[in-house]
Amino acid sequence: TITLSEPEIYLNKTSSTSIFIRAGERIIYTYTITNTGNIALEGPISVQDNRVAVYCPTGGLDIGETVVCRALYITTENDVASGIIINTALASVGSINSLESTYQMELDASTELSLNISTDPTTHAYAGQLMIYIFDITNTGNYPLDSPFTINDPLLDELICNPPPVLFEGETFECRGYYRIRESDIGKTITNCASVSGIYRGQPITSEEVCASTNYTEGNPPPDPK
């Protein structure tokens, strides 16, 4: 019986995490290479990866022997924007190549807008008084959100808002709304509720509704200037 020489290697790729959440995240890729043939293989051992440089030990591989190579990858804004990282890798021991291995990792996107409302002044006193509602809008998720950003508030007489084209993670911008007190508001508490909407990958997302209340405090309008 003649046993033919059958050189063969197998590549298995793993990473230190199965998902990523932001740019600048450090990911360790591990490449496990096994000699699955029936002859010893001389080196060098190497891995070609389309995204990152891979470091392997020197030497070759005996029959059934396994060696581990590693690489460090730091996620980018482009990775976050695309929502996925796809790697292709090929291992070599000398002149023997593995099958190409494809590995992908998806963004664990948390898309969230938060809204805070404050008022100036904090109480109302007379008809015609101007109330200013200050809206602070923050991206509290881990993914950039796109304009248009819309304040959903049916109470306001006027809204002035100049949002950025893109609201990155942790960033905040301010809008201001204006409302003049009506005769029907006198003696009552005014509760104003609003939410804000933005865009994530072409789809709208909306914050939870929040409210701000102003109590009535008896008072008179300022005298007309002379």
Side-chain angles (χ1 to χ4, degrees):
T1 301
I2 299 175
T3 302
L4 298 177
S5 298
E6 295 181 357
E8 185 178 61
I9 59 174
Y10 174 74
L11 170 63
N12 181 53
K13 181 179 177 181
T14 59
S15 66
S16 55
T17 179
S18 60
I19 57 174
F20 68 104
I21 61 175
R22 62 176 62 89
E25 189 173 350
R26 295 165 64 89
I27 298 172
I28 303 296
Y29 287 120
T30 301
Y31 309 79
T32 303
I33 305 163
T34 304
N35 182 349
T36 54
N38 58 13
I39 61 171
L41 300 174
E42 295 184 359
I45 300 168
S46 64
V47 174
Q48 295 77 46
D49 189 297
N50 68 322
R51 282 186 174 265
V52 67
V54 182
Y55 300 92
C56 294
T58 58
L61 276 180
D62 288 333
I63 299 170
E65 187 180 8
T66 293
V67 70
V68 174
C69 304
R70 288 186 172 85
L72 170 65
Y73 182 73
I74 299 177
T75 57
T76 67
E77 291 289 353
N78 286 338
D79 295 329
V80 174
S82 64
I84 193 170
I85 300 171
I86 299 177
N87 290 67
T88 56
L90 180 74
S92 301
V93 182
S95 61
I96 306 303
N97 296 327
S98 71
L99 295 176
E100 188 174 74
S101 173
T102 299
Y103 187 86
Q104 69 180 42
M105 183 183 307
E106 294 185 355
L107 175 71
D108 184 21
S110 169
T111 54
E112 185 176 9
L113 276 172
S114 69
L115 175 64
N116 182 69
I117 306 176
S118 57
T119 65
D120 181 23
T122 57
T123 61
H124 61 278
Y126 54 88
Q129 183 180 9
L130 182 64
M131 300 295 300
I132 302 173
Y133 289 93
I134 302 165
F135 303 92
D136 291 307
I137 299 99
T138 303
N139 182 348
T140 48
N142 64 3
Y143 193 94
L145 301 175
D146 298 319
S147 287
F149 294 95
T150 304
I151 300 291
N152 312 300
D153 188 331
L155 180 73
L156 302 178
D157 296 320
E158 183 182 7
L159 175 68
I160 296 178
C161 193
N162 294 297
V166 179
L167 186 65
F168 291 98
E169 308 92 302
E171 289 187 342
T172 298
F173 70 93
E174 181 183 283
C175 298
R176 295 202 168 205
Y178 300 90
Y179 175 74
R180 288 202 178 271
I181 300 300
R182 275 67 163 167
E183 288 287 352
S184 58
D185 296 322
I186 301 304
K188 300 176 183 176
T189 296
I190 301 173
T191 299
N192 183 27
C193 298
S195 63
V196 61
S197 300
I199 302 297
Y200 167 69
R201 291 191 175 183
Q203 300 298 316
I205 66 162
T206 302
S207 71
E208 293 185 359
E209 187 177 72
V210 295
C211 302
S213 296
T214 57
N215 295 321
Y216 171 72
T217 301
E218 187 174 357
N220 297 313
D224 291 332
K226 295 182 180 179

